[in-house]
Amino acid sequence: MTAIIPKVSQLTSRIIRILGCNPGVMTLQGTNTYLVGNGPNRVLIDTGDADVGEYVTNLKTIVDDNGINLSQIVVTHWHHDHIGGVADILSTLKLNDCKIYKICDEEHDRQYQSSSFKLNYLADGQKLEADGATLRVVATPGHTGDHMILVLEQENAIFSGDCILGEGTAVFEDLYSYIKSLKTILELKPSVIYPGHGPVIDEPIGKINEYIAHRQQREDQIVNVMVELGKELTPMEIVKIVYKDVPEKLHLAAAVNVGHHLEKLVKEQRVEKIDFNNQLSKYRIK
């Protein structure tokens, strides 16, 4: 963590960033949440973790001091540090008519079906309106299956959730989908990116290309090893070669990463997967 992010920042006339006050290894300085709009009716993007009183207090102060009617909350994906604060916000701010939006993920959304709030589902391309702001939903699976970004049309700005971070690189569930999502964002040509973690990205095209190039470099290393050895390999066998300068205690995590790359190559029909006893998989170049 290098950048210092204030707990509350007025970023533009339409955007206030409220830091989630939940710093950590995965959350960096904390989850960035954003109030969007320039009139009474505004939208909140993401909500931080549950049981973080400081964050909810900061949000309530901003809402009360500015006479804001928070009628919509949009969650970029199901991870706890983005959806976890919803119930606390609704209760503390006494929001009886606030709608909660996200893209559907049946498996992870089950836990909220009997909770204190109802989820309303969004589709790719759908738009949400606030005073002075139009937010367009763009589905960007990969980090999670339900991940989306939001385009603020008035400013050609993107709220990237965890697809692109202000510092470091993002993790993902499905690399094939994730790379496609990065290319989708690149095609949007945003002027600025407001990430779910880390500082504002003022040169987004360079950052997106950097993300894509980083993954491509690792993929090239994996493919080169498989071609050179010309035999079936497990992810860990590849790790022992590609990550030979990385401490052995980190090899298990590296094997997971290599596995993501291999599954992407399988989907692209460049690599073949061979299962043994449903427990150990090996891969070979087609």
Side-chain angles (χ1 to χ4, degrees):
M1 286 185 274
T2 55
I4 296 174
I5 297 179
K7 292 176 181 177
V8 177
S9 309
Q10 181 84 50
L11 301 178
T12 75
S13 63
R14 292 183 179 87
I15 303 170
I16 300 174
R17 179 182 59 199
I18 306 99
L19 189 63
C21 301
N22 58 332
V25 174
M26 298 301 293
T27 57
L28 305 181
Q29 296 92 337
T31 304
N32 293 323
T33 76
Y34 300 92
L35 268 174
V36 183
N38 57 10
N41 294 306
R42 303 194 193 186
V43 177
L44 178 68
I45 299 175
D46 286 330
T47 67
D49 272 309
D51 302 319
V52 184
E54 183 181 9
Y55 165 71
V56 179
T57 298
N58 292 340
L59 175 63
K60 186 176 188 305
T61 298
I62 296 166
V63 168
D64 290 347
D65 289 351
N66 292 276
I68 293 172
N69 172 34
L70 185 55
S71 59
Q72 302 173 89
I73 294 175
V74 188
V75 179
T76 57
H77 60 292
W78 66 265
H79 283 167
H80 65 87
D81 60 307
H82 292 261
I83 196 172
V86 170
D88 295 335
I89 290 170
L90 295 179
S91 174
T92 303
L93 275 63
K94 298 180 172 53
L95 302 176
N96 298 319
D97 299 320
C98 184
K99 290 187 176 181
I100 316 302
Y101 293 100
K102 70 183 294 293
I103 285 180
C104 181
D105 184 321
E106 291 184 0
E107 178 184 354
H108 296 102
D109 292 347
R110 289 194 193 103
Q111 59 188 304
Y112 302 109
Q113 290 177 354
S114 60
S115 67
S116 58
F117 60 91
K118 174 187 175 183
L119 292 172
N120 298 275
Y121 291 121
L122 295 167
D124 184 43
Q126 191 169 340
K127 294 185 179 183
L128 298 172
E129 301 286 344
D131 288 341
T134 301
L135 292 166
R136 185 172 81 253
V137 174
V138 179
T140 51
H143 175 70
T144 59
D146 65 335
H147 195 281
M148 67 174 171
I149 63 167
L150 293 154
V151 179
L152 176 58
E153 295 189 343
Q154 287 80 2
E155 300 185 9
N156 190 33
I158 283 176
F159 298 94
S160 65
D162 283 1
C163 194
I164 300 171
L165 307 181
E167 293 176 343
T169 56
V171 298
F172 41 82
E173 293 178 353
D174 184 321
L175 181 57
Y176 178 78
S177 297
Y178 180 63
I179 294 297
K180 287 183 66 176
S181 292
L182 289 177
K183 292 179 179 178
T184 294
I185 299 173
L186 189 62
E187 290 173 359
L188 293 173
K189 298 179 180 178
S191 60
V192 62
I193 291 178
Y194 300 107
H197 305 275
V200 174
I201 301 167
D202 293 314
E203 297 182 358
I205 303 304
K207 174 68 78 171
I208 301 165
N209 281 323
E210 178 186 319
Y211 266 46
I212 294 172
H214 174 72
R215 292 300 160 199
Q216 188 61 54
Q217 181 184 31
R218 185 61 76 194
E219 182 176 298
D220 290 345
Q221 291 176 311
I222 292 168
V223 170
N224 288 340
V225 165
M226 298 179 76
V227 170
E228 288 173 9
L229 295 183
K231 63 178 183 178
E232 300 163 357
L233 295 167
T234 66
M236 185 57 77
E237 286 172 334
I238 294 172
V239 166
K240 297 296 183 183
I241 301 169
V242 174
Y243 290 81
K244 60 184 178 182
D245 296 327
V246 174
E248 192 168 344
K249 64 181 180 180
L250 300 177
H251 281 192
L252 186 59
V256 173
N257 189 38
V258 168
H260 283 304
H261 279 278
L262 290 168
E263 289 300 317
K264 172 180 176 288
L265 292 166
V266 169
K267 290 179 180 179
E268 294 172 345
Q269 298 185 357
R270 296 169 59 194
V271 164
E272 183 178 5
K273 181 177 181 179
I274 304 156
D275 289 312
F276 294 89
N277 301 321
N278 296 322
Q279 293 180 343
L280 181 65
S281 294
K282 287 195 174 186
Y283 300 79
R284 65 186 175 201
I285 293 289
K286 274 195 164 185

